[in-house]
Amino acid sequence: MGKIKKKGTSGNAKNYITRSQAVRKLQISLPDFRRLCIFKGIYPREPRSKKRASKSSTPSTTFYYTKDIQYLLHEPLLDKFRDQKALAKKISKALGRNEVSDAQRLEKNLTPRMRLDHIIKERYPTFVDALRDLDDALSMLFLFANLPSTSEVPAKTIAKCQRLTLEFEHYLIRTHTLRKSFLSIKGIYYQATIQGQDILWLVPYRFVQRTGAEIDFRIMATFVDFYTTLLGFINFRLYTSIGLVYPPRLDAQSEEQGAELAAFHLEGQADSKDEITTGEVIHTEVNAKAQAEADKLLALPNVAEGQAEEVEIMDGDTEDKQATTTLDQFSSLDPAADSLLQPSLTADAETAGQLFEPFTFFLSREAPRHPLEFILKSFGCKRVGWDMSLGEPGAYCSEDDKRITHQVVDRPDLPLPSPPLTDGEADDDAPTTRTTNQRVPGRIYVQPQWIWDTINAGQLQRPDLYAPGATLPPHLSPWVKPKNGDYDPTLSLADQATAGDEDVSDEEQDEIDADEALEAASAGEEIDGVRGDDEAQEMEKELEDSDGMDVELAGSDDDESEAEVGAVAGEWDGISGDEADGLDAVAREAREHQLELEAEAKGLSVRDSSVNARKQARQVAKDKRTRAEREAEEDVERRKMMMSRRKRKMFEKMVYSNARKDEEAEKLKGKRRKIERKAEKTD
């Protein structure tokens, strides 16, 4: 008889541990346990069988890996948590004795400071790993940077988040690594490419935020503590990689006046006294590999001066090659294959830095200043002005400046200024200055969406489509690309049909088939199911018997080409082409005469007879189509019978999802048709 195993010593019961057991094992409180798990990146796990993993009669709800809890036993933060708990007891005793000054002294001098540097190094061994996990960090920090200061969210935390996010935006402006942006209901989405990693984050709109009581800010504050440390490390590495001093110097007076991005003064590492403003152009990015090779060669004791000059020349050549490198376009050899993904037009940092470089922008008061300033400077614009009431520091010019080429407005249409009066109509009391609700001749006025659509397209869009008061084009997500068969709002329905999308309904297809059948009938052919009159059949038999010639009636095979459908029904052996054309004309006249005789016998006109024939042909075409669809469905069912159960389920899910997508595309196309018809009627 084997040894009896004790319950809970093997299997799932050993691999998993409940939350209450983990808290007792670590000897900390539940809030501290949550903070520690957030810092270390340990999350609850779901066992396959909660009943087997639980050691009690009632299955628990939250489980963790036992190895993860064992790993937490050696965490240095546990000592900090215990010191905080001991300090809280001392403060509560001092307050109980009404010793407020002693309690304040204890809180000020004995509060332990927790550092998360070692956790950052443990969770992200390489810098690329930290960049991959930067999406949630940026979204959380930008959210807290726009929150109002309350008891749950102190002003110190908000100021720290604002400083870190502005420093990160300065790096994107300097390196032109911002790629795309999208205006959504939730906020503004941004995407940047840093060292080959695509980073996507969300920034809320600057509305008045109201924090509800149902939000647990303690959990969110724990994430903010971790993310601020992470972004501080990343900003330091990014700034030093392009030769800038970190942290940048902050002008407190300019920040109080609303300067935001202009409140930071960037300095180079070579000479920290020489300030580098955001409007200046610097070329601090060099090829890392060439620079490393140059440093190695120059470090050798026997290196010659000529070799050093060759290294510098090679370094300059590599930079020129990088500057003139164009993106490769990939073409498919098989025309029937799927289209290959092409590189993005905005993937080049140099191209992005020259998009708005020759322009001078002025932002009106109603336009969102900070997002527009950030995007314009990220894509090369160095001259951005705004109204002085929004913050005088950092503004390049005022609204009356003649150097302004584009003005961003978000208001109804602005009229042109009235023409000047003649000499005889001069009025001394008339104002000589332009009002703020009039346009300046020679200046381009656009709505803010023009900026976003331009950077997403990688090229300047037509400004007349975004004029003040105009109906804007649809603002589409740059990350969603329509596939074959999907609805593309940027193209008309006719262009989508020519691009390969068969935008033809069942009724329209039936009418097309009916027209083709009637054309075949006009050439002297008989349509199955349409011309089935006894008199016509007897007449054709008499013609065959009298002439002694074989007539081959047109079949209904789907493999016939359009040339065969429109060909002559009867093939005459031994007759030349001209004679066959003459016989074709005779057969067509006989067919028309036969239609007239049938219409007269039924008391109908020739037009009514053709309408009836069209209806019959349409019904026959519909029957053919349904028969072909039924045969295709039977073929699919036969193939499904040969599949395994797993592949069959997967195939059914694919068919279901494709059907849902087709339904959504048809609904959108139907709405598009209605809009186009209304536009045609109004025109």
Side-chain angles (χ1 to χ4, degrees):
M1 182 177 178
K3 184 178 180 181
I4 299 176
K5 290 185 178 180
K6 187 179 180 181
K7 183 180 179 181
T9 58
S10 62
N12 290 332
K14 183 180 180 181
N15 296 332
Y16 294 93
I17 186 173
T18 62
R19 186 177 63 181
S20 58
Q21 293 173 349
V23 170
R24 288 196 301 267
K25 192 170 187 177
L26 296 175
Q27 298 180 2
I28 56 178
S29 61
L30 183 58
D32 291 340
F33 176 75
R34 288 173 177 165
R35 294 180 64 190
L36 185 61
C37 290
I38 291 173
F39 290 152
K40 300 292 290 186
I42 296 175
Y43 303 99
R45 307 294 180 174
E46 188 70 18
R48 292 186 177 180
S49 177
K50 289 186 177 181
K51 186 176 181 181
R52 295 182 178 179
S54 180
K55 300 179 178 64
S56 59
S57 58
T58 57
S60 303
T61 57
T62 306
F63 291 90
Y64 293 87
Y65 282 145
T66 305
K67 291 184 178 180
D68 292 342
I69 304 303
Q70 289 289 130
Y71 176 67
L72 293 179
L73 288 173
H74 307 284
E75 175 58 38
L77 290 180
L78 288 176
D79 297 334
K80 299 293 183 179
F81 291 154
R82 295 182 181 120
D83 294 342
Q84 285 182 347
K85 187 176 180 180
L87 178 62
K89 290 182 179 180
K90 294 180 181 179
I91 293 175
S92 62
K93 289 181 180 180
L95 293 176
R97 294 192 298 265
N98 201 14
E99 297 175 354
V100 180
S101 60
D102 293 343
Q104 293 178 352
R105 179 180 54 80
L106 291 174
E107 184 179 5
K108 182 179 179 180
N109 299 330
L110 299 182
T111 300
R113 296 182 180 180
M114 290 188 299
R115 300 181 61 88
L116 305 178
D117 302 349
H118 65 285
I119 297 180
I120 300 297
K121 296 178 182 178
E122 290 175 2
R123 293 186 60 176
Y124 307 108
T126 62
F127 185 63
V128 176
D129 296 333
L131 292 177
R132 291 172 181 171
D133 202 18
L134 194 58
D135 299 352
D136 296 337
L138 289 176
S139 299
M140 180 69 73
L141 295 181
F142 273 100
L143 172 62
F144 269 72
N146 293 327
L147 289 180
S149 60
T150 58
S151 58
E152 295 86 1
V153 184
K156 185 177 180 180
T157 302
I158 297 174
K160 187 175 183 180
C161 294
Q162 291 176 352
R163 181 179 60 81
L164 291 173
T165 52
L166 290 175
E167 290 173 357
F168 182 74
E169 287 180 348
H170 265 293
Y171 171 80
L172 299 181
I173 291 172
R174 183 54 51 88
T175 57
H176 305 297
T177 51
L178 186 66
R179 292 292 171 262
K180 299 175 183 178
S181 181
F182 176 64
L183 300 169
S184 69
I185 299 176
K186 299 179 180 179
I188 305 176
Y189 285 93
Y190 296 97
Q191 182 182 5
T193 304
I194 302 176
Q195 297 188 7
Q197 302 298 322
D198 293 334
I199 303 171
L200 179 67
W201 70 96
L202 176 64
V203 179
Y205 295 112
R206 292 197 171 183
F207 298 143
V208 178
Q209 304 289 343
R210 296 181 180 178
T211 58
E214 65 276 3
I215 303 175
D216 190 357
F217 281 97
R218 295 178 300 174
I219 301 297
M220 299 179 69
T222 304
F223 278 101
V224 169
D225 292 340
F226 175 75
Y227 287 150
T228 50
T229 308
L230 174 62
L231 187 57
F233 271 88
I234 292 177
N235 286 346
F236 172 78
R237 179 66 180 271
L238 294 177
Y239 271 64
T240 54
S241 64
I242 60 175
L244 296 179
V245 175
Y246 185 82
R249 187 166 59 86
L250 177 63
D251 189 354
Q253 184 178 0
S254 299
E255 185 185 16
E256 292 177 357
Q257 297 177 359
E260 294 184 351
L261 286 173
F264 289 88
H265 299 276
L266 306 185
E267 301 175 355
Q269 291 181 348
D271 188 3
S272 60
K273 296 182 181 180
D274 298 335
E275 297 181 357
I276 305 175
T277 60
T278 57
E280 298 177 357
V281 181
I282 60 170
H283 302 281
T284 56
E285 296 184 53
V286 296
N287 189 357
K289 294 183 179 180
Q291 185 68 25
E293 293 177 359
D295 294 339
K296 290 181 180 179
L297 290 175
L298 292 175
L300 296 177
N302 298 328
V303 66
E305 295 181 358
Q307 293 179 353
E309 293 178 358
E310 291 179 0
V311 171
E312 293 179 359
I313 295 174
M314 291 173 58
D315 192 1
D317 293 339
T318 53
E319 290 182 1
D320 295 336
K321 290 181 180 179
Q322 286 184 350
T324 58
T325 300
T326 57
L327 300 177
D328 297 332
Q329 300 293 329
F330 303 99
S331 59
S332 176
L333 298 177
D334 188 5
D338 297 336
S339 59
L340 298 174
L341 292 176
Q342 302 297 334
S344 176
L345 295 176
T346 60
D348 189 6
E350 184 177 359
T351 304
Q354 297 175 355
L355 189 60
F356 297 128
E357 185 177 3
F359 305 133
T360 301
F361 284 85
F362 181 82
L363 310 179
S364 300
R365 290 179 298 173
E366 70 279 358
R369 174 197 150 190
H370 181 75
L372 289 174
E373 180 189 4
F374 168 57
I375 291 177
L376 290 173
K377 291 184 177 180
S378 297
F379 283 85
C381 183
K382 305 177 183 64
R383 300 170 296 275
V384 182
W386 53 80
D387 193 90
M388 297 305 174
S389 61
L390 302 178
E392 184 176 357
Y396 177 76
C397 58
S398 61
E399 187 175 1
D400 297 331
D401 199 313
K402 297 181 180 180
R403 295 173 294 178
I404 297 174
T405 59
H406 294 72
Q407 183 169 349
V408 183
V409 297
D410 194 6
R411 63 182 72 175
D413 190 12
L414 299 177
L416 290 173
S418 58
L421 300 176
T422 60
D423 296 339
E425 299 177 354
D427 188 3
D428 298 336
D429 297 335
T432 58
T433 59
R434 182 188 62 86
T435 61
T436 57
N437 292 329
Q438 291 181 353
R439 296 194 185 188
V440 177
R443 185 181 299 181
I444 299 176
Y445 287 81
V446 292
Q447 298 188 42
Q449 185 180 329
W450 181 78
I451 306 293
W452 272 270
D453 291 349
T454 297
I455 65 172
N456 292 335
Q459 56 186 357
L460 297 176
Q461 301 296 303
R462 290 175 49 186
D464 57 329
L465 300 177
Y466 302 85
T471 302
L472 295 174
H475 181 59
L476 305 176
S477 173
W479 299 285
V480 178
K481 301 298 180 182
K483 300 179 182 178
N484 294 333
D486 294 346
Y487 173 70
D488 189 1
T490 59
L491 301 176
S492 63
L493 295 177
D495 296 338
Q496 296 185 50
T498 56
D501 183 14
E502 298 181 358
D503 188 20
V504 181
S505 60
D506 297 342
E507 292 77 6
E508 294 174 352
Q509 185 65 36
D510 294 341
E511 292 180 1
I512 294 173
D513 297 339
D515 293 338
E516 293 178 354
L518 289 175
E519 289 178 1
S522 63
E525 297 181 355
E526 179 182 356
I527 305 173
D528 295 340
V530 178
R531 295 300 311 276
D533 302 334
D534 297 337
E535 296 178 1
Q537 293 178 359
E538 291 176 2
M539 187 175 182
E540 289 174 353
K541 288 181 180 179
E542 291 177 1
L543 289 173
E544 293 176 2
D545 296 337
S546 62
D547 296 339
M549 290 178 286
D550 298 333
V551 180
E552 182 181 356
L553 299 179
S556 60
D557 297 336
D558 297 335
D559 298 336
E560 292 184 354
S561 62
E562 296 179 358
E564 294 176 351
V565 172
V568 182
E571 295 182 359
W572 306 80
D573 297 335
I575 299 178
S576 62
D578 297 337
E579 296 177 353
D581 295 339
L583 292 174
D584 186 13
V586 173
R588 188 181 299 105
E589 292 178 359
R591 176 64 64 185
E592 293 176 356
H593 181 65
Q594 179 64 25
L595 288 174
E596 293 177 0
L597 292 176
E598 291 178 0
E600 291 178 359
K602 296 180 181 180
L604 301 174
S605 62
V606 179
R607 182 178 179 183
D608 296 336
S609 178
S610 61
V611 170
N612 294 333
R614 180 178 293 275
K615 290 182 179 179
Q616 294 177 4
R618 190 180 304 159
Q619 184 64 30
V620 171
K622 185 176 182 180
D623 295 340
K624 288 182 180 180
R625 186 172 54 80
T626 54
R627 184 168 63 252
E629 291 178 355
R630 185 169 60 253
E631 291 177 356
E633 291 177 358
E634 292 177 356
D635 185 34
V636 172
E637 291 294 333
R638 286 194 298 268
R639 293 187 179 185
K640 286 171 61 177
M641 293 174 61
M642 304 299 294
M643 296 181 182
S644 61
R645 184 175 179 275
R646 187 174 69 87
K647 291 183 178 180
R648 186 169 61 254
K649 293 293 184 182
M650 186 183 300
F651 176 75
E652 291 175 354
K653 289 182 180 179
M654 292 171 59
V655 171
Y656 177 76
S657 61
N658 291 337
R660 290 292 299 273
K661 291 180 181 179
D662 294 340
E663 290 178 2
E664 294 295 333
E666 288 299 329
K667 289 181 181 179
L668 295 174
K669 290 176 183 177
K671 293 180 180 179
R672 181 70 173 273
R673 293 191 191 96
K674 292 181 180 179
I675 294 173
E676 291 181 355
R677 290 171 185 171
K678 289 182 180 179
E680 291 176 357
K681 290 180 180 179
T682 54
D683 295 340

